[in-house]
């Protein structure tokens, strides 16, 4: 967007200080986005451990998963095997070699995601659900830092207020910090992120159903 900004407001960036401020702001935003995403990816295995080691897409395809819908699982496995070009692990293979079975299932999922990315019209809701999951995962990953900041600000605001008296800014700071801390504690939890991942999985399987329907149509 920087060329457009320069075009619309050329005189606003004449002074070097403003160039520095604009460049620093843009650079800080990009850096923050990259760092936060990296933190989210780094902490994702912790989420998987709390989800019994599986993404919702993988869990829905496992024959050894007692919580998966058997009717939907059969349809999805058949469609994914046709798309993947090879069979998915059997229940015996999942039990005997769970690591290799997981790798095979996730490799088939990658094939489906690549197909979905090449045909975005098949599910316009897939990309928004993917972004929503990424946002929830990354925000949850920042929970220790965010909670620490909220509690620290709350403590400082209350300490200053007890010592020097309550003022409107200190009251607002303390109140908002308390609300933020409660949000970190009560809302941003693994099960909330799992719900976002489940929504994404459902939309991804919708793409699989549409692809299977299109391939089964007579020419």
């Amino acid at each position: 967007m920087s060329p457009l900004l320069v075009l619309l407001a050329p005189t606003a960036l004449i002074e070097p200080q403003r160039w520095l401020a604009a460049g620093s702001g843009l650079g800080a935003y990009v850096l923050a986005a990259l760092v936060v995403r990296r933190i989210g990816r780094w902490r994702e295995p912790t989420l998987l451990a709390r989800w019994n080691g599986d993404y919702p897409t993988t869990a829905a395809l496992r024959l050894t998963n007692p919580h998966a819908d058997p009717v939907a699982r059969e349809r999805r496995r058949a469609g994914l095997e046709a798309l993947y070009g090879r069979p998915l692990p059997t229940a015996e293979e999942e039990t005997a070699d769970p690591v290799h079975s997981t790798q095979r299932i996730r490799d088939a999922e990658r094939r489906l995601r690549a197909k979905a990315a090449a045909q975005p019209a098949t599910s316009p809701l897939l990309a928004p659900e993917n972004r929503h999951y990424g946002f929830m995962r990354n925000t949850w990953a920042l929970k220790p830092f965010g909670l620490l900041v909220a509690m620290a600000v709350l403590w400082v605001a209350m300490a200053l207020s007890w010592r020097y008296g309550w003022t409107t800014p200190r009251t607002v700071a303390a109140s908002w910090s308390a609300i933020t801390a409660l949000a970190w504690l009560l809302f941003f939890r693994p099960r909330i992120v799992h719900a976002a991942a489940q929504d994404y999985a459902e939309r991804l399987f919708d793409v699989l159903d549409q692809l299977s329907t299109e391939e089964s149509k007579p020419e």
Side-chain angles (χ1 to χ4, degrees), residues 61-65 77 88-98 101:
L61 295 168
R62 284 193 186 279
L63 294 174
T64 53
N65 179 15
R77 284 178 63 97
L88 295 178
T90 64
E92 292 75 14
E93 290 174 329
E94 290 180 9
T95 303
D97 193 351
S101 297

Side-chain angles (χ1 to χ4, degrees), residues 114-163:
K115 194 77 170 180
Q119 302 182 33
T122 55
S123 181
L125 297 178
L126 182 62
E129 292 292 359
N130 187 30
R131 288 193 296 269
H132 177 59
Y133 165 71
F135 172 79
M136 295 300 296
R137 178 202 63 193
N138 297 344
T139 307
W140 172 86
L142 292 176
K143 180 176 181 177
F145 176 74
L147 185 58
L148 176 64
V149 171
M151 297 301 295
V153 173
L154 177 62
W155 183 86
V156 170
M158 294 183 68
L160 291 175
S161 299
W162 286 333
R163 185 175 180 84

Side-chain angles (χ1 to χ4, degrees), residues 14-192:
I14 291 178
E15 299 179 8
Q17 299 92 323
R18 295 185 176 180
W19 275 104
L20 181 61
S24 299
L26 180 60
Y29 177 81
V30 174
L31 179 62
L34 293 175
V35 170
V36 168
R37 183 177 185 274
R38 181 55 56 188
I39 293 174
R41 294 294 298 271
W42 174 60
R43 294 203 64 199
E44 197 167 42
T46 304
L47 284 174
L48 293 180
R50 300 190 182 192
W51 301 343
N52 297 321
D54 274 340
Y55 293 101
T57 46
T58 307
L61 295 168
R62 284 193 186 279
L63 294 174
T64 53
N65 179 15
H67 304 293
D69 182 347
V71 177
R73 178 175 58 196
E74 181 180 359
R75 182 186 73 253
R76 291 164 176 172
R77 284 178 63 97
L80 189 56
E81 287 176 340
L83 179 67
Y84 188 46
R86 63 188 70 176
L88 295 178
T90 64
E92 292 75 14
E93 290 174 329
E94 290 180 9
T95 303
D97 193 351
V99 174
H100 184 59
S101 297
T102 299
Q103 292 172 343
R104 289 169 58 187
I105 295 175
R106 290 182 180 174
D107 189 51
E109 293 172 18
R110 281 191 289 270
R111 171 63 176 164
L112 173 58
R113 287 196 296 270
K115 194 77 170 180
Q119 302 182 33
T122 55
S123 181
L125 297 178
L126 182 62
E129 292 292 359
N130 187 30
R131 288 193 296 269
H132 177 59
Y133 165 71
F135 172 79
M136 295 300 296
R137 178 202 63 193
N138 297 344
T139 307
W140 172 86
L142 292 176
K143 180 176 181 177
F145 176 74
L147 185 58
L148 176 64
V149 171
M151 297 301 295
V153 173
L154 177 62
W155 183 86
V156 170
M158 294 183 68
L160 291 175
S161 299
W162 286 333
R163 185 175 180 84
Y164 301 107
W166 289 91
T167 63
T168 299
R170 292 169 190 161
T171 301
V172 172
S175 302
W176 181 246
S177 298
I179 293 172
T180 305
L182 287 175
W184 282 117
L185 291 171
L186 301 179
F187 183 75
F188 291 103
R189 305 172 67 179
R191 66 179 182 180
I192 299 297

